[in-house]
Every structure is written in structure tokens, then in C-alpha cells.
Amino acid sequence: MNLYRLSEEETRILCKQKLESLEFWMRKLIHDKLIVDFGDNYIEAKINGTDYLINSNIRRKILARKEAEPARYSRLIDASLLEHLIDIICNPSLYNKYFRKALDLAFPDGREEAKTFLKRLEYPRNCLSHANPLSIRNSEQVVCYTNDIIDSIKSYYQMNNNEKEFNVPTIIKLTDSFGNVFHKTNSNEISVID
């Protein structure tokens, strides 16, 4: 894709869509992997009854965002920001066990590579969120990195637990005109999550 042909507004819209899609897929991956071993309350889960699974700073921020706008976030993970998602996925004690297989296509060299490239997306994400200028180089990074990461996660789901009869787009989240939010469950059904 030649970003030089797009207007600044078109580039910003494209990058914002790519980053939002990445955040949705990362939330889905975290939720689907951690709920299995730690249940619905994995954000506040403890390992061995003493150490928290998720960093206390991240936990506090997620819980505060959920508490401030409970109707906006149907699951705790939905109150996370990109930097929280990166820190959770790149956590040394979580990456290999829960996320490596899903990210192997994008990051064959493992956690450090994942952290390096994912962290590079924080700056353009913040520029877009705060109406700051975005360079063509940052835009290229967003488009290329997000495509690779999302493709890796989608491939993982297709190979492991989402075999389909037809190759069609997957709905992972729906919001209706009343503000109800629906998420795809591990089965092929879509259900509301309160």
C-alpha cells in the first residue's frame, strides 16, 4: 500500500482502524488463553495464591477504567489500553505458555522480538489518540506490523480451534444501537457478556 497517495486524514483513519483491530484481536487472545486456566477473573488472579498474574499497576488502571465507565466495558480486558495489552502478552512468565504459538508467524524469535515491535506501535497510537501529527514512517509501521500480527493470530485460531467450512470474516464483537456489547465465545455462538 502506498501511503503517499493517501491524504493525511485517510492515513489517520486507516492507521486508527488497524490499531483498533489489533487491540480487539489481542484482547480476544488474552481472554481466550487466560480464562481457561484462571477463570473469568483472570485480571485479578494469583499464581500460587501469592503473586498476581498481571502487574499491579496494569490491574489498577484496568479496574479504574472499568469502574469509571462500567457500561462501556463488558469484560475487564476491554478496559485495557494497547500498552496494557503489550505488557500482558510480553510478560516473561506468560508469553511462552499462553501467547507464543499465536504470535510465532509474526515473531519467530520470541518474546523480545514481540516486545520490540509491539512497543513501536505505542507512539503512533498515542499520536492518533491525542490528535498529534503522524509521520509516513509511523503510518507504515502501523500498517505493516498490525497486518503481520493480526494475520499470525488469525492463523493460530484457524489452525487450532476455529476450523471453518468456508473462509469468511469472523465477527468477534458486536455493538447494537442500545449499547449492548456481544462477544464471540469459544464456540461458534455470539453471546452477550455483562
Side-chain angles (χ1 to χ4, degrees):
M1 172 176 282
N2 188 349
L3 295 176
Y4 291 99
R5 294 183 180 184
L6 299 178
S7 70
E8 182 180 348
E9 181 181 355
E10 291 170 326
T11 302
R12 291 180 71 83
I13 290 169
L14 173 66
C15 289
K16 191 170 182 175
Q17 289 171 340
K18 294 286 186 181
L19 286 166
E20 287 175 355
S21 182
L22 175 65
E23 288 180 30
F24 282 128
W25 280 103
M26 289 173 73
R27 287 182 184 118
K28 176 176 176 41
L29 179 64
I30 290 168
H31 179 78
D32 290 351
K33 298 304 275 179
L34 297 183
I35 198 170
V36 173
D37 286 352
F38 302 99
D40 285 330
N41 199 18
Y42 54 86
I43 297 291
E44 297 185 272
K46 290 184 179 181
I47 303 170
N48 303 327
T50 56
D51 298 324
Y52 282 98
L53 181 67
I54 299 197
N55 173 297
S56 62
N57 187 37
I58 295 170
R59 251 187 4 266
R60 275 193 303 272
K61 289 178 180 177
I62 290 173
L63 292 168
R65 287 173 55 86
K66 171 74 170 158
E67 200 172 288
E69 297 181 82
R72 180 177 178 188
Y73 306 111
S74 59
R75 306 173 300 181
L76 274 175
I77 195 66
D78 295 329
S80 61
L81 300 174
L82 180 62
E83 56 265 22
H84 305 144
L85 299 169
I86 293 169
D87 287 343
I88 292 168
I89 284 178
C90 294
N91 180 317
S93 62
L94 300 177
Y95 186 83
N96 284 336
K97 183 172 183 180
Y98 296 103
F99 308 120
R100 181 171 184 138
K101 287 181 183 175
L103 295 170
D104 254 352
L105 287 176
F107 309 116
D109 292 330
R111 187 186 75 82
E112 286 301 320
E113 181 183 26
K115 186 175 182 178
T116 297
F117 283 89
L118 287 167
K119 287 284 188 186
R120 289 179 184 168
L121 295 173
E122 287 180 359
Y123 176 76
R125 164 67 165 72
N126 290 336
C127 287
L128 290 167
S129 296
H130 300 291
N132 291 325
L134 193 64
S135 72
I136 290 293
R137 176 65 185 135
N138 290 143
S139 302
E140 290 170 339
Q141 286 177 313
V142 168
V143 171
C144 293
Y145 297 175
T146 57
N147 283 344
D148 287 348
I149 299 163
I150 292 168
D151 286 349
S152 183
I153 295 170
K154 284 182 177 180
S155 293
Y156 169 78
Y157 276 104
Q158 287 176 336
M159 289 186 307
N160 289 290
N161 65 354
N162 280 345
E163 293 299 323
K164 296 179 183 174
E165 191 173 329
F166 303 102
N167 185 14
V168 297
T170 302
I171 297 170
I172 59 173
K173 179 181 175 183
L174 294 171
T175 305
D176 68 16
S177 61
F178 299 109
N180 297 314
V181 178
F182 304 87
H183 289 276
K184 184 180 180 303
T185 62
N186 287 338
S187 68
N188 284 331
E189 298 175 6
I190 296 178
S191 61
V192 70
I193 301 176
D194 294 322

